Amino acid sequence: MNQYKIKFSWAFFIFAAGILIMAGCMNAGPKPGEVFSCAEDSDITKTIAPEASLENFSCVIKKWEGANTLHFNVAIKNISNKDQRFKVNIFLENGKAVGGLLPRKIKKGLIKPGQIAEFTYPVAGVNGAPGKIDLFIKTMSK
């Protein structure tokens, strides 16, 4: 009888360890440094100016201010026939928002027709996939 209790204890231990391992694998989100799609296309609402073309919108988790933080990679192409400057706003369903101007500084000039401008926006306090996203890209007046 004592022998059966030992076998049952080992079987239960192996079963419990397997469940814990599988649960850890299922909850594993994106790994730091790995570029991933920010959300399903149906969860992203895009409002993009006719002078702009969104060339890249992806996410990556990397260190920022000492913690793993979500970063949005944004690349915009100027498809107009004039030099442009764009304003980018990204709003998350949890109330967080990031954004800025492309190019950030105009000392070197605006984005020429056919050129692509890129920037990476960190989102403080977010360390996983964002869920629903509202993306706005507007042109700035000169």
Side-chain angles (χ1 to χ4, degrees):
M1 179 123 169
N2 199 8
Q3 183 179 14
Y4 291 112
K5 286 183 180 179
I6 292 173
K7 285 184 181 179
F8 177 75
S9 296
W10 275 104
F12 180 75
F13 174 75
I14 291 172
F15 176 75
I19 294 294
L20 288 174
I21 289 171
M22 289 188 61
C25 292
M26 290 182 345
N27 289 334
K31 296 175 183 161
E34 179 180 299
V35 177
F36 61 95
S37 176
C38 298
E40 298 291 326
D41 285 338
S42 62
D43 290 338
I44 302 175
T45 304
K46 298 176 186 173
T47 305
I48 301 174
E51 298 86 2
S53 170
L54 185 63
E55 298 296 309
N56 180 28
F57 186 66
S58 59
C59 289
V60 65
I61 300 210
K62 56 186 177 181
K63 288 276 188 199
W64 185 67
E65 294 185 352
N68 283 338
T69 304
L70 176 71
H71 289 69
F72 288 104
N73 299 320
V74 179
I76 300 171
K77 183 176 184 177
N78 179 2
I79 58 174
S80 72
N81 56 3
K82 297 180 181 178
D83 294 358
Q84 296 288 341
R85 188 175 195 194
F86 298 104
K87 182 177 182 181
V88 177
N89 292 107
I90 304 168
F91 298 96
L92 307 181
E93 68 180 339
N94 65 3
K96 298 270 184 176
V98 294
L101 300 173
L102 282 177
R104 287 183 54 225
K105 298 179 181 178
I106 57 172
K107 189 175 188 178
K108 295 181 182 178
L110 301 174
I111 303 169
K112 305 266 185 244
Q115 282 187 332
I116 297 174
E118 299 178 89
F119 195 74
T120 301
Y121 299 98
V123 186
V126 179
N127 60 2
K132 294 188 178 192
I133 302 168
D134 292 326
L135 172 66
F136 296 94
I137 301 173
K138 302 174 187 175
T139 56
M140 297 295 296
S141 62
K142 297 179 182 169

